[in-house]
Amino acid sequence: MNELKNTERELHFFRLRLTALGALVFLCFALLLARFVWLQVYKHSDYAAQAEDNRIAVVPVVPNRGLILDRNGVLLARNYSAYTLEITPSKLRAPLEAVIDELARLVQIEAKDRKRFRKLLDESKNFESVPLRTRLSDEEVARFTAQRFRFPGVEIQARLFRQYPLGETAAHVIGFIGRINHAESEALEAGEDAANYNGTDHIGKEGVEKSYERQLHGTTGYEEVEVSAGGRAIRTLSRSAAAPGNNLILSIDIELQKVVEEAFGEWRGALVAIEPATGDILAYVSRPGFDPNLFVDGIDQQSWSELNTSLDKPMVNRPLSGTYPPGSTYKPFMALAALTLGKRTPSQSISDPGSFTLGGHKFRDDKPGGHGTVDMYKSIVESCDTYYYVLGHEMGIDAIHDFMKPFGFGQLTGIDLEHEKTGVLPSKAWKRERFKKNPAMQKWVGGDTISVSIGQGFNHFTPLQLAHAVANLANDGVVMKPHLVKIVEDGVTRARKLTVPSESYRIPLKREHIDVVKNAMVGVTLTGTGARAFAGAGYTSAGKTGTAQVIAIKKNEKYNANLIAERLRDNALYTAFAPADKPRIAIAAVVENAGFGAGVAAPIVRKALDYYLLGKRPHEKETTKVPKEDAETLRSLDDVKADEGPAAQHAPGLETPGNKE
């Protein structure tokens, strides 16, 4: 018998279940509504900003780097745009080498490209894009673009490139740019310019490219770009234009620079030419040189090794960091010191027996038997060592030091390049400090002064300092700061500003004393040690030859260049200014291991003056290198130095006693 259903009871439970289900649905909708209100009302501004950020990308606009020109408007550094093939290692889905091999099927990739890529990869962060190939052709760009979907993490980018149209010419002046390394990146992030370098891959490494980096770089701009969900740019919403860097107008006359570099031929050395009235550096030569274009994309390992292992040291900036004894080019300044300090009159003479003896040591003159009766004029014209042995002994080292210091010897000139060396202007205090760990060497002895008085011994100056001192003499003691950048031109307004508008200071000198020394230096070019090199010149110049030892000659041993290794032979020097009455140019030249100053250095200076004053160029390409036997013969006309005392030259890469600069 079937039980009768309790309809009322079942209906009750059904209503309970229906009510519970309704309450649950209501609760769910209430929660959804609450979440909707939270998102749309309370969090609306936050999520709207995030959505806008996802829709809009802020892209840095890299500014055009400023141009570099010579004083006559010749372009020395310029920019151009080209395509690069770049890899971001962190985005790759296949092994790096496999990706490069596949890319090589589409784009030409040479071994040097791979080596450079590896070098740059070691210097970069994993999430940075690293260029594999630069300056792609339109055909190569098209081939890769068609296959781009196969290479996630590989992109083609349009980049600005730096170019140095004249190659090696003035490379040590202009310098070069290169990719920003870890140390430079950290320095930028720690400084105030971090935001201004967003999107920038390169920075100045050497020369004025480095010292004027802030001027040249410009101001980074920004674009707001609307992008799709896939990251593809749709349209530009707004743009803040980048401000180009300032242009640099150098003081260099690039044609004069070319003449001098050609005149050096295969010789190593340096020459600096300065306009005395302004401090403008007209020529700044360091030989051998290098091609700065090698560094723009990242130099390959082979080229880097060749530059760094070369005995000629082409990367050494010789005018700035090579230090050398000045040799007899120091004598005009010694003569001026004697006049100023009242130690000599122009007519006061000595009898030169061919040597000077002090403390039992004999210091030889260059001329066997001596120069006879020697006054100040003759001492400079014939470069008489004995005259200055006696003078230096009477003056004392500290008086010499104090007189030479304002001329810039052994002092930083303040030139607008980094890493300038001070050289050595010796004094008793300097020697005590230099040899503080060796008390036996601290005492200044008379023989030290004898060597210093003829530009040897502890004296070590840069070619820049020597040229600066000659310019100060030519300018009658009015000191102008030497500089390579004459004018900074605003990249936007084209407004121009001089970098050195006025004199630094004046050296208190008497006109009659200056005239005595200048007149003797003119005599050098007319009848003295420089007469052969300046025969028939269409102008009157003042000059001084110099020969400086690289190694000391043993007592009673005669110097013979043919018996000495080439890199240990004497250095040749020549200083000059012209025209003698109203100097427009002052020059100092050092030619390493070339012997007598009049044999090699003076002809180089002659070619520089011929071009600058007369517009005359050498008729044919030739080096100034004279046969070894001729150089040896000419050397006997100048000053062969003392038997004893420190006399070794501190050329780049050579360590010498008494000088750690």
Side-chain angles (χ1 to χ4, degrees):
M1 183 176 179
N2 295 329
E3 293 185 11
L4 294 175
K5 293 182 178 180
N6 189 337
T7 306
E8 290 293 331
R9 185 169 176 271
E10 290 182 0
L11 185 61
H12 173 71
F13 281 114
F14 174 76
R15 287 172 178 167
L16 285 176
R17 288 194 295 272
L18 185 62
T19 301
L21 182 61
L24 179 63
V25 170
F26 178 79
L27 179 62
C28 289
F29 275 102
L31 290 173
L32 288 173
L33 180 63
R35 182 62 177 169
F36 179 79
V37 171
W38 171 259
L39 294 175
Q40 294 295 322
V41 178
Y42 291 100
K43 301 294 290 183
H44 175 269
S45 59
D46 292 342
Y47 286 105
Q50 290 184 30
E52 192 69 8
D53 288 342
N54 290 333
R55 184 179 72 89
I56 299 173
V58 179
V59 180
V61 179
V62 180
N64 282 337
R65 193 171 180 85
L67 305 177
I68 301 177
L69 307 93
D70 90 326
R71 68 190 295 117
N72 299 313
V74 177
L75 198 60
L76 306 179
R78 71 179 187 93
N79 308 305
Y80 69 96
S81 60
Y83 291 106
T84 66
L85 184 66
E86 302 187 7
I87 297 177
T88 305
S90 61
K91 295 182 180 180
L92 295 181
R93 298 178 184 174
L96 178 60
E97 287 300 326
V99 172
I100 294 176
D101 290 340
E102 284 298 311
L103 288 170
R105 298 175 183 272
L106 301 174
V107 175
Q108 182 179 359
I109 300 174
E110 299 178 359
K112 66 179 183 179
D113 297 320
R114 293 177 183 254
K115 290 180 180 179
R116 183 177 62 243
F117 174 79
R118 283 293 180 187
K119 183 176 183 293
L120 294 175
L121 190 63
D122 292 339
E123 298 174 353
S124 304
K125 298 176 182 177
N126 193 45
F127 54 82
E128 291 180 339
S129 64
V130 180
L132 176 63
R133 256 291 311 280
T134 59
R135 294 187 286 273
L136 273 66
S137 67
D138 291 341
E139 182 181 348
E140 288 175 321
V141 171
R143 283 203 302 267
F144 173 79
T145 302
Q147 299 292 321
R148 179 181 175 277
F149 67 93
R150 296 172 46 207
F151 301 98
V154 183
E155 297 287 345
I156 283 184
Q157 300 284 354
R159 300 283 189 185
L160 283 174
F161 287 88
R162 197 68 157 173
Q163 185 186 45
Y164 305 100
L166 300 183
E168 283 195 14
T169 303
H172 288 91
V173 175
I174 303 166
F176 55 85
I177 66 170
R179 286 182 65 87
I180 298 174
N181 58 34
H182 286 311
E184 291 161 341
S185 179
E186 291 176 357
L188 287 172
E189 290 174 2
E192 300 177 355
D193 292 338
N196 197 36
Y197 277 81
N198 287 339
T200 300
D201 297 320
H202 292 75
I203 197 169
K205 298 283 188 177
E206 293 292 341
V208 296
E209 287 275 29
K210 181 176 183 180
S211 56
Y212 283 84
E213 169 62 29
R214 289 192 175 186
Q215 297 277 7
L216 288 164
H217 179 261
T219 304
T220 299
Y222 292 92
E223 280 187 348
E224 287 188 339
V225 180
E226 185 176 7
V227 296
S228 65
R232 185 172 62 86
I234 299 174
R235 60 182 175 135
T236 299
L237 301 177
S238 65
R239 177 183 176 90
S240 173
N246 295 333
N247 301 322
L248 303 183
I249 300 173
L250 304 187
S251 58
I252 295 290
D253 182 329
I254 203 62
E255 293 303 317
L256 174 62
Q257 181 85 13
K258 290 178 182 177
V259 166
V260 175
E261 290 186 4
E262 180 183 304
F264 262 85
E266 296 180 0
W267 287 106
R268 300 176 303 277
L271 180 146
V272 178
I274 300 177
E275 186 176 67
T278 62
D280 287 0
I281 295 180
L282 304 170
Y284 183 100
V285 175
S286 182
R287 302 302 295 165
F290 62 92
D291 185 355
N293 291 297
L294 292 172
F295 294 87
V296 175
D297 298 338
I299 190 169
D300 62 90
Q301 190 60 45
Q302 180 180 350
S303 298
W304 179 248
S305 296
E306 289 174 356
L307 289 173
N308 279 275
T309 59
S310 171
L311 292 176
D312 292 336
K313 301 186 181 300
M315 295 300 294
V316 172
N317 192 327
R318 284 168 164 83
L320 192 72
S321 58
T323 59
Y324 309 80
S328 290
T329 63
Y330 206 49
K331 291 174 180 175
F333 297 95
M334 285 291 296
L336 187 58
L339 294 170
T340 302
L341 300 176
K343 295 294 183 179
R344 288 287 185 279
T345 64
S347 60
Q348 190 174 345
S349 302
I350 69 161
S351 178
D352 174 21
S355 65
F356 175 73
T357 302
L358 179 67
H361 297 289
K362 181 179 287 187
F363 297 88
R364 291 182 296 111
D365 193 275
D366 65 292
K367 186 176 180 180
H371 293 263
T373 301
V374 182
D375 61 7
M376 185 170 286
Y377 179 88
K378 187 176 179 180
S379 76
I380 294 174
V381 172
E382 295 188 10
S383 200
C384 174
D385 286 347
T386 305
Y387 184 93
Y388 292 96
Y389 292 152
V390 176
L391 175 61
H393 179 62
E394 292 180 11
M395 289 179 62
I397 188 59
D398 285 340
I400 296 172
H401 170 277
D402 294 345
F403 181 83
M404 299 297 179
K405 185 176 179 180
F407 281 90
F409 289 111
Q411 315 301 311
L412 295 177
T413 66
I415 190 176
D416 42 357
L417 289 179
E418 297 185 6
H419 312 305
E420 180 184 5
K421 284 194 175 181
T422 58
V424 175
L425 178 64
S427 65
K428 291 180 180 178
W430 170 85
K431 193 177 183 185
R432 285 195 299 271
E433 177 64 22
R434 169 64 183 82
F435 294 102
K436 61 183 177 182
K437 295 182 179 180
N438 187 356
M441 291 288 292
Q442 290 182 2
K443 183 180 179 181
W444 189 273
V445 297
D448 293 339
T449 307
I450 299 303
S451 294
V452 166
S453 66
I454 60 167
Q456 293 281 170
F458 291 118
N459 279 328
H460 284 86
F461 310 127
T462 65
L464 173 62
Q465 289 174 353
L466 189 54
H468 181 44
V470 174
N472 294 337
L473 174 60
N475 205 30
D476 299 334
V478 179
V479 179
M480 299 296 297
K481 180 181 176 182
H483 52 277
L484 289 161
V485 176
K486 182 178 180 67
I487 295 171
V488 176
E489 181 183 69
D490 190 282
V492 178
T493 66
R494 296 292 184 258
R496 294 186 168 193
K497 183 179 180 180
L498 285 171
T499 57
V500 180
S502 59
E503 65 189 59
S504 298
Y505 57 89
R506 297 193 176 202
I507 304 170
L509 301 171
K510 292 184 178 180
R511 162 57 57 189
E512 59 267 27
H513 296 162
I514 296 173
D515 289 343
V516 167
V517 173
K518 285 186 175 182
N519 184 50
M521 292 179 72
V522 170
V524 170
T525 67
L526 298 178
T527 62
T529 54
R532 179 174 175 177
F534 282 85
Y539 49 85
T540 300
S541 66
K544 185 68 191 79
T545 55
T547 306
Q549 289 179 319
V550 173
I551 57 171
I553 303 301
K554 295 180 181 179
K555 188 174 182 179
N556 299 323
E557 183 177 304
K558 181 176 174 60
Y559 175 89
N560 187 336
N562 294 326
L563 300 179
I564 299 175
E566 189 266 339
R567 292 175 186 272
L568 298 179
R569 296 172 188 169
D570 293 350
N571 291 331
L573 299 96
Y574 194 80
T575 57
F577 56 86
D581 55 343
K582 295 181 180 179
R584 293 167 49 199
I585 182 172
I587 298 180
V590 179
V591 186
E592 295 177 9
N593 314 120
F596 178 45
V600 178
I604 292 176
V605 173
R606 167 72 186 270
K607 290 180 179 181
L609 295 179
D610 281 356
Y611 172 76
Y612 193 72
L613 299 176
L614 306 177
K616 180 182 176 182
R617 293 178 179 271
H619 293 297
E620 57 184 7
K621 290 186 177 180
E622 60 179 5
T623 69
T624 57
K625 194 165 186 176
V626 297
K628 295 176 182 177
E629 58 272 16
D630 289 350
E632 179 63 19
T633 301
L634 287 169
R635 185 183 184 279
S636 66
L637 299 175
D638 198 31
D639 40 331
V640 183
K641 308 307 172 216
D643 288 336
E644 298 185 9
Q649 175 259 357
H650 187 60
L654 295 179
E655 193 70 30
T656 60
N659 182 15
K660 295 292 183 182
E661 295 297 324

